[in-house]
Amino acid sequence: MAETIDVSGTTKQEKYASLLPQLKALAEEEDQYAALGNIISALKYGMNFFWAGIYVVKNNELVLGPFQGTVACTRIGFGKGVCGYAWKNKKTILVDDVNAFEGHIACNSESKSEIVLPVLGKTGDVVMILDIDSDRLADFNSTDELWLTEVIHIIENIVNC
């Protein structure tokens, strides 16, 4: 396994396209947490995100899992904030301005926009949330949603083995 991630291209699409095969290779690690930790690191640094992490569903709340970035909220209730909303509604949420999202949980005041995607288990229930933050307003779009959905499929393969 490579010890570095090499992301090439100038557009988001080109960068994601060069990163995705590397994420698939990282997913081959047999330990779930090691694989998820490296995938999150590769996402954060490969795409230059402000923050990237996973929240794991435990005892009816989201608990902070592998992440890269500033210190984060450790627990989020069902339906609370952007992550809890994505969990409750089982859908991807793009937020152009986190301060305009009713009920947003401010873990870090530098976070300006985010994209949150649910990870589904074998039964179709949300088992994790992928949370990506930017320090710029309206930084995420349909390109991010498309490619990060592919990342979700990689993560689902890891957790549903």
Side-chain angles (χ1 to χ4, degrees):
M1 188 197 77
E3 294 179 2
T4 60
I5 296 297
D6 182 27
V7 177
S8 59
T10 55
T11 68
K12 279 186 181 185
Q13 183 165 328
E14 291 169 340
K15 290 177 183 180
Y16 278 118
S18 72
L19 181 60
L20 198 66
Q22 297 172 83
L23 298 180
K24 289 178 181 176
L26 292 172
E28 293 176 8
E29 163 60 47
E30 65 184 53
D31 183 88
Q32 173 179 318
Y33 292 103
L36 292 173
N38 271 336
I39 286 170
I40 294 303
S41 180
L43 278 171
K44 194 246 190 269
Y45 293 102
M47 296 302 294
N48 197 32
F49 293 135
F50 175 70
W51 194 94
I54 290 177
Y55 283 93
V56 181
V57 176
K58 291 184 180 179
N59 300 322
N60 206 35
E61 64 183 348
L62 294 171
V63 179
L64 182 64
F67 77 96
Q68 293 285 315
T70 59
V71 173
C73 301
T74 56
R75 296 178 185 273
I76 299 172
F78 183 74
K80 305 296 182 188
V82 180
C83 290
Y85 184 85
W87 174 22
K88 179 179 177 181
N89 293 286
K90 294 184 180 181
K91 69 178 193 174
T92 297
I93 308 296
L94 281 92
V95 180
D96 288 339
D97 180 352
V98 295
N99 293 316
F101 187 91
E102 187 175 336
H104 175 254
I105 301 168
C107 297
N108 186 301
S109 62
E110 292 182 53
S111 178
K112 304 294 183 213
S113 61
E114 71 183 299
I115 183 169
V116 176
L117 303 94
V119 177
L120 303 180
K122 291 178 183 176
T123 63
D125 292 330
V126 176
V127 295
M128 295 178 177
I129 293 290
L130 175 62
D131 181 14
I132 309 286
D133 291 14
S134 175
D135 57 358
R136 295 180 299 272
L137 290 170
D139 200 26
F140 301 106
N141 58 33
S142 60
T143 299
D144 297 288
E145 183 174 4
L146 175 74
W147 286 94
L148 290 172
T149 298
E150 292 301 315
V151 174
I152 290 299
H153 296 315
I154 294 169
I155 293 172
E156 286 172 343
N157 286 332
I158 294 169
V159 300
N160 290 319
C161 291

